[in-house]
Amino acid sequence: MPEFAALTVLTDEVFGTVSPRLYGHFAEHLGRCCYDGIWVGRGSPIPNWNGFRLDVLNALKAMPTPLLRWPGGCYADHYHWRDGIGPSRPVRLGMSCGLQVEDDNGLGTHEFLDYCKQIGAEAYLAGNMGSGSVQEMCDWLEYCNASVQTELVKERTSNGHAEPYGVKLWGVGNENWGCGGHYDADSYGLEYRRYATMLQHVDPNAELVTCGHNKEWNERLMDKLRHHAFLVDHFSIHRYWVTGGSGTAFSDEQYYKLLREADETEDFVKETRAIIQDAVGDKKKIGIALDEWGVWHPEVRQWGEDAVGGDLNNYEQACTLRDALAACAAFEGFHRQADSLSMANIAQIVNVLQAPIRTEGDAMWLTPNYHVFAMHEPHLGAQAVRVLVEGGLSLPDGSPAVTATATTKDSRKAVTVMNRHLHEGATVRIPVEGSAKLLASDRASDENGPDSPDRVVLREVGLTPDGNGWVLELPPHSVATIA
Ligand code: AHR
């Protein structure tokens, strides 16, 4: 076996197009994600655009943010959209995941949709099934998208937006097997049919998302929907990775466990695809919406492996290089499943869980998660193709240390290659000429902070020709994109 890992990009073996929606995000009114994270209000001393902090807004413009889901999460099933329109906004209890916050509704529908336009994101609204009604969700859809001069459209116009917003993606509830009402799959399925029927009457172009869960739930739900596939455009599943131990003080074994768990997300997508296929065959293409994913460390959990969570710290956790590598592992799977996965949204966009951006007062910094989104930018909208990796290092379990994903667009190729080995560097031969953007740091547990915002950042590195291709030296626990 050669000591280096040699990559071959098999341009004829196409997985599918990498929809920009696979690089989506999620903003929930949870802890300091929306309030404080993206929204500070128009009167804030923190520089802002219409109430949205400018530093975060500019950072989001510079990172792929093609899709943004809002307002929850569990929060969605308490949210009444009328509270967030017009001049007078009532203060309500903001409730999600055991946290209660005072919610002044300053950030409502118009603010959110205008923000999406500013940052170049498509909006995805999650409707309230838990404490709302079919009529309430239909009204929200009509308010946002209708052009007939109804009372709701006149109201939208008087609130400053005569043009329909044209929001395509609508979630019918969230985690309705749990926080969204503790339904069973059969009753949720029936209820979904009622909601989706009425929503389609209001806007036949809306893309509706039904709420999946685990294998058993998904099979039962698809059974309920098998003759109503025309009511479903996307099938939502969530996957949080919880087996990697502490956010920063993890063992070698836990480091590898987290990456494996991230890899297994692909198996979950495949399993879900098979269930959908089995129920509806080719009658209807239903995309899988992995609309919450990411690392959830035990320090901010009261459930699952190693949970510590006494004080949940607003679900603000360490965001290290290891977490960013786990995201890269997941992206490899997303590309391979490009044909069945219709969207994916990391949880969450600012401050909460696996956040690309963190804030504290008027300070803002980018986490390693931000940089992996930025370095994957060349893959968006490109064709995902198979990459062969031959030779090179192995991990303690015998699997290859070097893994890669590749895409082609017109005549250009982009390759993202990881060295998953925690302690050893890897030499990689790559059939693509160019320079590499490398994300590396001394320790996999390194992270950025307000006083050290540039500890883990992207660096440009050169490739060396060796007669058969170009050679890149990848440090331990690192990742690079060559485009
Ligand atoms: O992302 C945090 C929470 O996790 C969401 O509100 C919920 O949908 C999931 O359980």
Side-chain angles (χ1 to χ4, degrees):
M1 278 294 218
E3 276 178 21
F4 56 82
L7 305 194
T8 311
V9 178
L10 304 172
T11 45
D12 290 341
E13 291 194 38
V14 179
F15 294 117
T17 302
V18 178
S19 163
R21 285 177 172 177
L22 300 192
Y23 285 85
H25 297 265
F26 170 37
E28 179 169 18
H29 284 282
L30 172 62
R32 296 190 314 120
C33 177
C34 287
Y35 290 114
D36 243 31
I38 59 177
W39 171 266
V40 284
R42 294 180 180 86
S44 170
I46 295 178
N48 64 84
W49 172 85
N50 286 343
F52 291 98
R53 47 187 304 161
L54 260 182
D55 48 4
V56 171
L57 188 152
N58 288 329
L60 290 178
K61 278 183 173 172
M63 172 186 77
T65 314
L67 171 67
L68 189 54
R69 176 177 185 244
W70 178 85
C74 295
Y75 177 93
D77 282 296
H78 280 290
Y79 183 65
H80 299 288
W81 67 273
R82 295 203 64 94
D83 291 343
I85 57 162
S88 96
R89 309 277 174 104
V91 175
R92 305 275 188 216
L93 263 186
M95 288 169 281
S96 176
C97 304
L99 297 185
Q100 292 196 335
V101 291
E102 188 182 295
D103 185 347
D104 69 7
N105 279 296
L107 166 48
T109 299
H110 288 256
E111 289 79 13
F112 175 72
L113 296 177
D114 293 345
Y115 188 59
C116 284
K117 193 166 174 208
Q118 273 298 308
I119 60 175
E122 177 181 10
Y124 168 16
L125 295 176
N128 178 348
M129 193 180 206
S131 65
S133 67
V134 183
Q135 188 60 54
E136 183 181 6
M137 213 186 289
C138 285
D139 285 350
W140 200 12
L141 179 58
E142 180 183 326
Y143 183 88
C144 289
N145 288 0
S147 47
V148 178
Q149 288 306 301
T150 63
E151 281 309 299
L152 284 167
V153 170
K154 286 185 197 152
E155 197 176 358
R156 183 187 73 216
T157 305
S158 75
N159 287 332
H161 211 275
E163 284 300 301
Y165 277 110
V167 178
K168 277 230 142 59
L169 291 165
W170 291 82
V172 182
N174 169 76
E175 295 195 353
N176 300 88
W177 45 268
C179 65
H182 285 112
Y183 284 84
D184 60 40
D186 290 348
S187 39
Y188 172 76
L190 277 181
E191 194 72 342
Y192 176 84
R193 276 157 43 177
R194 191 162 75 104
Y195 271 73
T197 303
M198 302 307 151
L199 290 165
Q200 275 192 351
H201 294 163
V202 176
D203 182 357
N205 293 319
E207 294 178 32
L208 304 180
V209 187
T210 195
C211 173
H213 177 28
N214 56 19
K215 185 166 186 283
E216 191 194 342
W217 168 286
N218 295 347
E219 283 170 348
R220 289 196 75 98
L221 176 58
M222 279 316 300
D223 194 41
K224 269 278 171 287
L225 298 177
R226 71 172 64 236
H227 301 300
H228 297 82
F230 57 93
L231 294 174
V232 190
D233 298 291
H234 306 268
F235 190 97
S236 153
I237 50 173
H238 294 169
R239 184 48 52 113
Y240 287 104
W241 310 320
V242 296
T243 63
S246 156
T248 50
F250 46 85
S251 64
D252 287 20
E253 197 192 329
Q254 288 168 325
Y255 163 87
Y256 290 117
K257 228 173 152 188
L258 184 73
L259 295 190
R260 243 191 338 269
E261 208 184 352
D263 286 331
E264 285 161 8
T265 307
E266 183 179 5
D267 301 332
F268 186 36
V269 172
K270 286 196 215 160
E271 175 192 280
T272 310
R273 180 196 174 132
I275 293 169
I276 296 171
Q277 185 66 24
D278 193 45
V280 300
D282 296 327
K283 270 193 293 187
K284 171 82 194 273
K285 173 108 178 150
I286 297 175
I288 297 168
L290 180 65
D291 52 13
E292 290 182 28
W293 65 267
V295 186
W296 195 324
H297 290 307
E299 288 85 351
V300 297
R301 269 195 277 118
Q302 285 167 334
W303 51 273
E305 203 165 305
D306 298 327
V308 179
D311 168 14
L312 292 171
N313 194 34
N314 275 330
Y315 297 103
E316 290 173 32
Q317 63 182 20
C319 290
T320 67
L321 175 57
R322 175 181 70 150
D323 301 327
L325 294 175
C328 291
F331 289 146
E332 289 180 1
F334 294 179
H335 290 185
R336 281 188 293 265
Q337 300 309 315
D339 198 34
S340 28
L341 201 58
S342 53
M343 74 174 97
N345 306 64
I346 191 172
Q348 299 192 0
I349 195 160
V350 183
N351 289 330
V352 167
L353 299 177
Q354 192 173 354
I357 298 176
R358 298 286 301 271
T359 65
E360 195 57 72
D362 58 6
M364 183 216 69
W365 64 99
L366 309 177
T367 74
N369 303 315
Y370 182 96
H371 298 301
V372 292
F373 270 84
M375 71 196 294
H376 280 73
E377 205 270 336
H379 298 302
L380 273 71
Q383 296 276 296
V385 295
R386 189 180 296 284
V387 199
L388 205 62
V389 182
E390 291 171 295
L393 283 175
S394 295
L395 300 181
D397 69 357
S399 63
V402 173
T403 58
T405 185
T407 54
T408 61
K409 199 193 244 168
D410 307 323
S411 58
R412 287 175 299 141
K413 286 196 193 94
V415 176
T416 297
V417 54
M418 292 171 72
N419 173 16
R420 298 172 178 226
H421 206 289
L422 187 54
H423 302 295
E424 291 186 44
T427 305
V428 185
R429 181 183 287 149
I430 296 167
V432 176
E433 187 180 6
S435 66
K437 283 196 165 71
L438 172 73
L439 190 68
S441 194
D442 292 346
R443 285 169 302 273
S445 58
D446 281 348
E447 57 181 326
N448 298 329
D451 303 324
S452 53
D454 298 327
R455 182 173 291 144
V456 191
V457 287
L458 288 177
R459 280 186 293 126
E460 289 274 339
V461 293
L463 274 65
T464 326
D466 79 340
N468 290 307
W470 288 265
V471 171
L472 174 68
E473 296 298 339
L474 277 178
H477 53 262
S478 70
V479 57
T481 294
I482 304 94

